[in-house]
Amino acid sequence: MRISRTPQPTAVAPSEWIAGAAWVDEIAAPEGSSRFRVDSVHFAPGARTAWHRHPLGQVLHVTEGTGLVQCRGGEVRTIRAGDSVRIAPNEWHWHGASPTTFMTHLAIQEVAEDGTEAERGTHVTEAEYSAGSLSH
């Protein structure tokens, strides 16, 4: 067992992956034979990821606020503190904050054997995002 008390510095999420302001705190990173990654991602109102997919899927667990999530071809869904979302392997999706509130979630995934964590697609358009915010 190893206890980590000196967390990595909070990082600004890269603009290639996120539209708007978001910050990432690394909770667990692949180490040794483990391929497990957990990040806490804090999205400002209106911020969201680009379309992306994970080779082995992803679980999102919302710890505070209200957000939106959509899988390609599906409806935009509202997510709130306490909700968990399971995204299937290689399923294109995006997630982020609602237009009016911050949202923080834990992003949990296993990294593929070749080191691939995710594949990024295009940024979510204002029309795609607004479709979800109207039903919020």
Side-chain angles (χ1 to χ4, degrees), residues 2 7 9 23-24 27 40 42 55-57 63 68 73 77-78 82 90 107 116-117 124 132:
R2 181 170 59 90
W23 301 265
V24 180
I27 306 296
S40 177
H42 189 69
L56 299 172
T63 59
L68 302 171
R77 306 283 304 270
T78 299
N90 289 310
T116 303
E117 294 188 31
V124 173

Side-chain angles (χ1 to χ4, degrees), residues 1 17 23 36 56 66 71 74 81 84 101 107-108 115 122 124 131:
M1 172 175 29
W17 283 89
W23 301 265
F36 185 65
L56 299 172
T66 302
C71 291
S84 292
T101 60
I108 306 158
T122 60
V124 173

Side-chain angles (χ1 to χ4, degrees), residues 1-8 26-29 31:
M1 172 175 29
R2 181 170 59 90
I3 298 173
S4 176
R5 291 209 168 93
T6 308
Q8 298 292 320
E26 180 181 279
I27 306 296
E31 183 177 292

Side-chain angles (χ1 to χ4, degrees), residues 4-136:
S4 176
R5 291 209 168 93
T6 308
Q8 298 292 320
T10 298
V12 173
S15 60
E16 305 86 58
W17 283 89
I18 305 286
W23 301 265
V24 180
D25 287 297
E26 180 181 279
I27 306 296
E31 183 177 292
S33 62
S34 171
R35 296 183 304 170
F36 185 65
R37 170 172 292 288
V38 180
D39 292 309
S40 177
V41 186
H42 189 69
F43 295 87
R48 68 272 192 178
T49 67
W51 284 101
H52 64 285
R53 62 184 177 175
H54 302 272
L56 299 172
Q58 183 178 50
V59 172
L60 306 173
H61 179 76
V62 182
T63 59
E64 66 179 336
T66 302
L68 302 171
V69 63
Q70 180 183 26
C71 291
R72 180 94 59 205
E75 66 181 276
V76 179
R77 306 283 304 270
T78 299
I79 50 178
R80 294 180 176 82
D83 290 348
S84 292
V85 179
R86 182 174 298 275
I87 299 159
N90 289 310
E91 186 166 39
W92 287 100
H93 66 285
W94 65 267
H95 39 94
S98 79
T100 59
T101 60
F102 281 85
M103 189 269 293
T104 301
H105 67 49
L106 297 176
I108 306 158
Q109 64 259 352
E110 185 178 359
V111 176
E113 285 187 40
D114 67 2
T116 303
E117 294 188 31
E119 177 184 353
R120 181 178 50 87
T122 60
H123 279 280
V124 173
T125 66
E126 285 300 321
E128 289 169 322
Y129 181 75
S130 295
S133 12
L134 296 176
S135 63
H136 168 75

